[in-house]
Amino acid sequence: MNIYVVRHGETPWNTQLKLQGRSDIPLNERGIEQARLTGEGLKKAGICFDKVYSSPLQRAVKTAELISGFSPLKIIKEQRIIEFSFGKAEGSTPQQRQTNPDFAPIKNFFNNPPAYTPAEGAESFDEVFARTSSFWEEEIRSLSSSPRNKNILVVTHGGTLQTLLMHIDGRPLKDFWKVSFPNCSVNKVVLEDGKFSLEWTSRVFYTQNPSEQQVWTTTR
């Protein structure tokens, strides 16, 4: 079984480097185009989806819809792959996060993950790892019992995507940001003989220039 794990397309807050978290921000025009072209690229590669999961936030659901061609009603909204909650820091700009003492904990989230202690209303790494691990082991693994589930699409967010793939590649928390995921980049996980493996990461299908279709691989 092949599982294609995708970060949502670009949003207005992405372009402003604002911290999104659970804030329900829609795709911008470029994000819509990224998702549409990603869907076309996957179809050209012979990849069609049997089942589609998405974070319940609209930027992820719309990305899933445009990539898969599924109607929103057929997309499974999965709370376990929603983005980290960042509490009051959501909507903050990089400058605000540097100067406002209320946002001080966020600095460690990006610069020193093992030292990150979430502020009130925010999630810890352990909490997010627990729910994304449950998604893999209790939801996705169960699909392999049916031969009809050959290709699965999972659309999520940058932070949550890191935790999903760390369950597979075994990176330590200090290397949380070692792999980069552009908006609408695609990562392929294979479940074979009861074992998950990461086949490739961060493949971009929406660029018109083949030389720009970069692939970053993780270090196991």
Side-chain angles (χ1 to χ4, degrees):
M1 188 170 71
N2 303 310
I3 307 100
Y4 296 87
V5 190
V6 181
R7 185 186 176 199
H8 63 78
E10 187 181 88
T11 73
W13 280 20
N14 286 143
T15 64
Q16 300 167 46
L17 302 180
K18 288 185 175 182
L19 193 61
Q20 289 186 116
R22 300 285 181 85
S23 299
D24 201 5
I25 309 303
L27 299 179
N28 60 19
E29 289 185 8
R30 185 165 186 263
I32 291 171
E33 185 72 353
Q34 288 171 340
R36 185 185 68 79
L37 291 173
T38 298
E40 289 181 1
L42 289 166
K43 286 177 185 175
K44 287 178 182 177
I47 302 166
C48 295
F49 297 103
D50 304 300
K51 196 175 288 286
V52 178
Y53 291 87
S54 172
S55 155
L57 297 178
Q58 62 176 314
R59 59 189 182 271
V61 175
K62 188 64 177 179
T63 300
E65 177 187 353
L66 291 168
I67 289 176
S68 67
F70 280 41
S71 73
L73 292 176
K74 287 188 65 179
I75 295 169
I76 302 167
K77 298 9 174 247
E78 175 56 71
Q79 192 72 23
R80 286 174 290 188
I81 58 172
I82 199 170
E83 183 58 297
F84 277 77
S85 171
F86 295 110
K88 294 180 180 179
E90 292 184 9
S92 62
T93 64
Q95 182 180 9
Q96 289 169 331
R97 295 194 292 273
Q98 287 295 323
T99 58
N100 188 329
D102 291 341
F103 302 151
I106 294 297
K107 294 179 184 178
N108 280 336
F109 181 82
F110 292 106
N111 299 322
N112 185 12
Y116 175 62
T117 301
E120 184 179 353
E123 277 184 297
S124 68
F125 282 108
D126 286 345
E127 289 172 317
V128 179
F129 278 120
R131 59 179 169 85
T132 55
S133 175
S134 169
F135 175 70
W136 279 125
E137 297 300 333
E138 298 175 18
E139 184 68 28
I140 297 300
R141 187 178 291 280
S142 68
L143 300 178
S144 62
S145 60
S146 171
R148 291 179 296 177
N149 295 323
K150 182 179 179 182
N151 293 317
I152 309 300
L153 176 65
V154 175
V155 181
T156 184
H157 308 267
T160 307
L161 177 52
Q162 294 283 7
T163 71
L164 283 164
L165 295 193
M166 287 170 72
H167 183 75
I168 309 301
D169 67 24
R171 270 179 292 146
L173 185 56
K174 66 181 181 64
D175 292 332
F176 189 81
W177 298 109
K178 189 171 184 178
V179 186
S180 174
F181 302 115
N183 287 107
C184 241
S185 56
V186 184
N187 309 269
K188 184 179 180 182
V189 174
V190 175
L191 177 56
E192 187 174 12
D193 297 328
K195 182 179 179 181
F196 288 107
S197 61
L198 183 59
E199 189 160 311
W200 41 256
T201 65
S202 293
R203 185 167 292 179
V204 172
F205 287 83
Y206 53 80
T207 178
Q208 299 300 312
N209 183 352
S211 67
E212 295 176 1
Q213 293 186 3
Q214 300 176 356
V215 180
W216 289 265
T217 58
T218 59
T219 301
R220 291 183 182 277

